[in-house]
Amino acid sequence: SVASHVHDIRQPWALDESADERFDLVLLLFTLSTIGPCNCEDMKQTVINAVNMLRQGGVLLFRDYGRYDDDQLQLNSIPGAQLHNNFYLRDDSSTGCYFFDLDEVRELFVGAGLDVLQLEYTTRSYKKTGKSSKDLSKNGGAAERKRIFVTSRFRKP
């Protein structure tokens, strides 16, 4: 059977000790980047909370923004957008956005007791059309975009 739950992962999962409420799969999809490193303990505690939700042998899937993603490079040029190293405030939504490198992702999840099954950058390039004069002067109106994501799988031993 399949069941899903939405949970504020910054808070511990309230386990009923009389029932097996741990999960085979936990998905963190563009989640940690919004927490950011300003309070490193929050990010570490969030990972620990996610690991505690897994049963033994369970898998945690993680995908988030990778270092030097095109969005990071654009945000880097906006005065006041950078709040901390590799952590920015998006102007359009006022949400934080952190850009990870592989070593810090490995350190976060292995430090919380997980084994690495996959940990890599996934890149995707595409053309974004625009109507600004800057966009129209290059590539017939299309701007090249390069997206970089960290894609990983971890297992709880």
Side-chain angles (χ1 to χ4, degrees), residues 10-27:
R10 295 172 302 162
Q11 304 301 318
W13 182 259
L15 290 171
D16 178 359
E17 296 302 325
S18 65
D20 185 14
E21 292 185 347
R22 297 193 194 272
F23 301 99
D24 294 314
L25 182 71
V26 170
L27 173 66

Side-chain angles (χ1 to χ4, degrees), residues 107-125:
E107 184 179 319
L108 272 171
F109 289 95
V110 170
L114 298 180
D115 296 330
V116 178
L117 300 176
Q118 172 192 10
L119 178 58
E120 62 191 18
Y121 288 118
T122 303
T123 60
R124 182 177 141 225
S125 295

Side-chain angles (χ1 to χ4, degrees), residues 12-149:
W13 182 259
L15 290 171
D16 178 359
E17 296 302 325
S18 65
D20 185 14
E21 292 185 347
R22 297 193 194 272
F23 301 99
D24 294 314
L25 182 71
V26 170
L27 173 66
L28 295 179
L29 186 62
F30 300 102
T31 304
L32 288 185
S33 61
T34 62
I35 296 170
C38 293
N39 185 346
C40 193
E41 292 308 310
D42 281 352
M43 193 180 290
K44 288 178 183 176
Q45 187 60 52
T46 297
V47 172
I48 290 168
N49 292 344
V51 171
N52 287 339
M53 294 171 72
L54 283 171
R55 69 181 73 216
Q56 191 171 7
V59 174
L60 186 143
L61 303 175
F62 174 78
R63 184 162 189 183
D64 224 314
Y65 299 105
R67 192 73 42 91
Y68 307 115
D69 176 75
D70 196 53
D71 276 3
Q72 180 182 18
L73 300 178
Q74 289 181 3
L75 286 167
N76 207 31
S77 66
I78 299 172
Q82 187 171 8
L83 301 176
H84 195 270
N85 289 342
N86 304 301
F87 186 59
Y88 301 82
L89 186 63
R90 291 185 184 275
D91 188 36
D92 58 344
S93 62
S94 298
T95 58
C97 188
Y98 185 73
F99 297 86
F100 291 92
D101 71 23
L102 297 180
D103 289 337
E104 60 193 344
V105 171
R106 178 181 288 107
E107 184 179 319
L108 272 171
F109 289 95
V110 170
L114 298 180
D115 296 330
V116 178
L117 300 176
Q118 172 192 10
L119 178 58
E120 62 191 18
Y121 288 118
T122 303
T123 60
R124 182 177 141 225
S125 295
Y126 66 96
K127 290 185 178 184
K128 178 181 177 187
T129 59
K131 296 181 181 175
S132 72
S133 59
K134 181 177 96 175
D135 290 338
L136 293 173
S137 66
K138 293 177 22 181
N139 302 324
E144 285 280 335
R145 300 275 324 253
K146 183 176 181 184
R147 302 309 312 264
I148 301 172
F149 305 107

